[in-house]
Amino acid sequence: MGKYFDRWVRSYSVTPENSPEFFDIINDLYFTENMQSQAAFAQHSEINRLDHVRSVAYLTFLYCREHSLDIRTATRAAILHDLTYYDWHDGDWSHRPHGYRHPAFAAKNAKELDPTLNEKGRFIILRHMWPLTVVPPKSKEGWAVSLIDKYCATREMMRGEIKYFARRFEEAKRLSEKKNAR
């Protein structure tokens, strides 16, 4: 289906063993209790939030590496971009404007989890939902995270809603895992 689809599929089976350079950047965040708790929250269709942010971070990592951008800042912001501690699907009225409000919640939580988060990373998180957040990203890395997030969300919803696409994903994932095992 193409390079980006293959990368997206692979993002669901990346591990410290098969992607050490990627995990070297996010290890201290990814394996914390706060980040691992994200697996309990649904994100898009059948995808949980931890899988979603890992996917966005991995694709961001690859994109920034290819284009000589700030890999560390972008990848760390991508893994933190949806760090909220509630299920926005639960019907609670205060979660209804989630698309508009969660970037600020995530930026606050990200700074608490990662005190070394720099301003560029904070702005990437705050603006990743553009155009819902009126002010657009201001760096190339910010644009990358914003667009990759939308790409992953679209693919995740397609996987959950289109049977053919779900089968194609599972088949591609099995092949990717076999390839990674070698």
Side-chain angles (χ1 to χ4, degrees):
M1 278 190 141
K3 175 169 95 172
Y4 294 104
F5 176 80
D6 292 343
R7 288 176 172 186
W8 174 70
V9 169
R10 184 170 192 271
S11 73
Y12 289 92
S13 56
V14 294
T15 64
E17 292 75 32
N18 65 30
S19 298
E21 188 182 352
F22 169 63
F23 276 94
D24 281 349
I25 295 171
I26 64 162
N27 251 350
D28 64 315
L29 302 172
Y30 186 76
F31 292 105
T32 64
E33 186 178 327
N34 287 10
M35 186 59 70
Q36 291 297 304
S37 75
Q38 299 299 290
F41 300 113
Q43 188 69 3
H44 304 116
S45 294
E46 300 167 7
I47 303 298
N48 70 56
R49 192 172 303 147
L50 183 63
D51 286 344
H52 168 72
V53 297
R54 187 185 60 245
S55 183
V56 173
Y58 182 69
L59 270 61
T60 297
F61 165 79
L62 295 175
Y63 181 85
C64 289
R65 187 173 65 185
E66 277 182 356
H67 296 280
S68 300
L69 299 177
D70 183 348
I71 296 171
R72 182 173 173 76
T73 297
T75 302
R76 288 175 73 83
I79 201 71
L80 297 166
H81 81 276
D82 281 338
L83 186 59
T84 57
Y85 303 112
Y86 61 86
D87 182 354
W88 60 275
H89 303 89
D90 68 4
D92 182 330
W93 181 252
S94 69
H95 301 159
R96 296 290 296 162
H98 172 77
Y100 298 93
R101 297 177 62 205
H102 84 271
F105 299 148
K108 178 184 176 291
N109 294 336
K111 188 65 177 174
E112 290 172 3
L113 188 61
D114 179 10
T116 69
L117 182 71
N118 61 27
E119 279 301 295
K120 184 184 218 177
R122 191 173 79 79
F123 279 118
I124 289 170
I125 296 166
L126 284 171
R127 296 176 178 179
H128 81 272
M129 284 300 291
W130 184 83
L132 293 182
T133 52
V134 180
V135 180
K138 67 180 196 174
S139 65
K140 290 177 183 177
E141 294 84 358
W143 280 105
V145 171
S146 182
L147 295 174
I148 290 167
D149 180 43
K150 288 160 183 55
Y151 174 83
C152 290
T154 301
R155 291 290 191 182
E156 291 161 5
M157 289 185 281
M158 288 172 67
R159 179 182 168 208
E161 303 301 323
I162 302 170
K163 288 180 183 168
Y164 165 78
F165 193 82
R167 284 192 307 272
R168 175 69 180 106
F169 170 83
E170 291 303 327
E171 178 185 313
K173 186 174 178 218
R174 275 192 302 280
L175 291 173
S176 176
E177 287 170 349
K178 273 186 187 176
K179 193 176 179 181
N180 286 338
R182 289 185 220 154

